[in-house]
Amino acid sequence: MRLSGRAKIVGPVTALTLVACSPPAPPRPTPPGPDRLTLSASGLPGAPVGRTSVHAMQEDVLPGLDLFSAGQTEDCSIHVDRQARFAVVTTDDGMVLAYVTAEPDLGTAEGIAVGASTVDDLVATYGADSLADLDTVSKQGGPMVLHSPDRGAPRDGDTVMVFETRADRSLTEIRAGLWPWAAMADYCQDRNPRAANIGWPLE
């Protein structure tokens, strides 16, 4: 499969640049209970990226999803449940490359969640040395922050998390999956024409 876009890292996110001139950080997020589904860099429990088809994920992990599917490039597709605010990025034959969520009830095992967490929480939870700003401004006007679990610049195919934020640095989306697809502004390719009528997250 050809790589059809490229996400860029501008520089590291440091504790100084993130927390200077800001109010005291709120208490760290509380990890979810054992029954709550969580995202990690490798994907969903039982449905890791790179090893799961979108059909198996939908049947075995999130059977209630009603996915609207649309190709974006000749080798990448996006599948969206607008009401659930959940999306799956796949190869043209349905292999999962990344997950995207704006649903507050689906967060990370460490308690990071949309609407409840900020960039300051990312620093407190993951450490500044594992975070970097991407060379992309989110749709809401804030930075897109990369979390690389290996604490280095990711290579193609590494698993990462990307957090999209508002200008006030609160989280609006969580993405998990393979680099660079988890970091693409338009999910299959930066600045790729968006599929018509698919709604969130391409609205």
Side-chain angles (χ1 to χ4, degrees), residues 44-198:
L44 289 167
V49 295
R51 293 186 288 158
T52 306
S53 74
V54 65
H55 308 293
M57 181 279 302
Q58 190 173 2
E59 291 174 3
D60 300 336
V61 179
L62 292 170
L65 283 183
D66 182 17
L67 295 175
F68 175 86
S69 302
Q72 265 199 295
T73 70
E74 63 184 18
D75 52 15
C76 181
S77 297
I78 183 90
H79 313 262
V80 176
D81 185 324
R82 185 188 305 196
Q83 185 171 6
R85 299 182 72 76
F86 185 86
V88 188
V89 182
T90 72
T91 62
D92 58 347
D93 59 358
M95 186 61 64
V96 176
L97 298 170
Y99 295 108
V100 183
T101 184
E103 170 54 55
D105 289 335
L106 178 58
T108 73
E110 298 83 8
I112 298 296
V114 169
S117 304
T118 66
V119 177
D120 292 341
D121 293 324
L122 298 180
V123 174
T125 300
Y126 299 116
D129 60 341
S130 75
L131 302 171
D133 281 335
L134 295 176
D135 186 19
T136 308
V137 176
S138 76
K139 296 184 293 293
Q140 293 79 18
M144 291 176 62
V145 179
L146 168 72
H147 167 52
S148 183
D150 293 333
R151 287 176 158 74
R155 297 170 296 180
D156 291 354
D158 284 352
T159 55
V160 300
M161 299 193 79
V162 174
F163 301 92
E164 188 163 328
T165 70
R166 295 187 180 90
D168 66 3
R169 303 189 303 178
S170 60
L171 268 57
T172 59
E173 286 184 9
I174 300 174
R175 309 178 188 190
L178 301 177
W179 177 267
W181 292 278
M184 292 297 180
D186 285 328
Y187 301 92
C188 288
Q189 177 181 339
D190 283 337
R191 295 172 295 279
N192 188 66
R194 298 177 175 187
N197 302 320
I198 198 169

